[in-house]
Amino acid sequence: MATGSPIVLNVRNLTKTYRSAGEQIAVLRGVNLSVAAGERVALSGESGSGKSTLLHLIAGLDRADGGEIRLAEASIADLSDAGRAALRRDRLGLVFQQFNLIPSLNVEDNLAFQSRIAARHDPAWHGELVERLGLGGLLKRYPEQLSGGNLDEATADDVLALARDLVKRTGCGFLMVTHSARLAATLDRQVSLHAGLIA
């Protein structure tokens, strides 16, 4: 990351509490985190530490109780539902641990879906994705016909190499939640979420 790179994600004093069985559970207790353009950050933490909650808040899929999230120069709290959806469509890429694929679309159409609704479909980039991820033989299959297993080490390395290339090409910021110390060590910076705070 070059010194002076603009901040593309800025999280300040973020708090989130859930009610469970009549009890208030503070998941995030004042999280501060920033990611600069061109920076690759690994976020780790024990199960239940709030990593998924933090990602959902950053993406505008849930609302924080307090604090501020600025993404691509927009304050998430100031956006309407439509505004948050437009931000996810145009400025934010999400890769979920679960499939989150559209069951009625085959692999090829699932790959192209987001870029088409954003009116940015690039057939050359689509072809490169297919080749680099080794999906050529799976394009006509539907999600129910795919394996639900975790990535093996070699495939995980290939996917991360692709993400690193994207950061280099586009100058975007990259935040990855991982339990793998090996993968985290390949990124620019590692942070940990513990007891509702970033360490």
Side-chain angles (χ1 to χ4, degrees):
M1 175 184 69
T3 303
S5 295
I7 300 298
V8 294
L9 170 65
N10 195 11
V11 176
R12 287 289 164 259
N13 300 315
L14 198 66
T15 60
K16 182 66 177 178
T17 300
Y18 291 105
R19 180 173 290 279
S20 176
E23 181 182 352
Q24 294 279 88
I25 300 172
V27 180
L28 303 179
R29 302 170 184 258
V31 167
N32 293 293
L33 174 67
S34 62
V35 179
E39 185 179 27
R40 301 161 306 179
V41 179
L43 173 64
S44 62
E46 297 175 359
S47 293
S49 64
K51 301 182 303 296
S52 294
T53 297
L54 177 59
L55 291 183
H56 281 87
L57 294 173
I58 289 170
L61 297 170
D62 195 1
R63 288 193 178 271
D65 296 330
E68 183 181 34
I69 303 166
R70 295 192 71 81
L71 180 65
E73 301 177 6
S75 172
I76 298 294
D78 293 342
L79 297 174
S80 64
D81 288 345
R84 290 193 303 277
L87 187 72
R88 286 190 295 273
R89 181 192 66 217
D90 298 333
R91 304 298 303 270
L92 175 67
L94 296 169
V95 179
F96 293 94
Q97 185 174 5
Q98 304 85 1
F99 265 176
N100 284 0
L101 298 175
I102 299 168
S104 60
L105 297 181
N106 63 24
V107 169
E108 185 170 27
D109 291 335
N110 263 291
L111 278 174
F113 182 77
Q114 193 279 334
S115 62
R116 286 186 173 138
I117 63 171
R120 290 196 314 243
H121 184 65
D122 179 349
W125 172 240
H126 182 86
E128 183 179 340
L129 273 178
V130 168
E131 182 179 342
R132 289 187 66 175
L133 296 174
L135 297 175
L138 302 174
L139 292 179
K140 299 305 177 191
R141 291 192 187 179
Y142 287 85
E144 66 186 24
Q145 298 170 310
L146 301 174
S147 167
N150 294 327
L151 294 181
D152 59 71
E153 197 169 278
T155 305
D157 288 343
D158 290 344
V159 170
L160 191 53
L162 178 61
R164 280 195 296 266
D165 286 354
L166 276 173
V167 171
K168 187 174 181 179
R169 284 184 193 189
T170 66
C172 68
F174 179 69
L175 177 63
M176 178 179 76
V177 171
T178 182
H179 290 288
S180 169
R182 183 185 69 82
L183 291 178
T186 68
L187 302 186
D188 301 317
R189 182 163 54 105
Q190 298 85 48
V191 295
S192 178
L193 187 57
H194 177 70
L197 295 167
I198 293 284

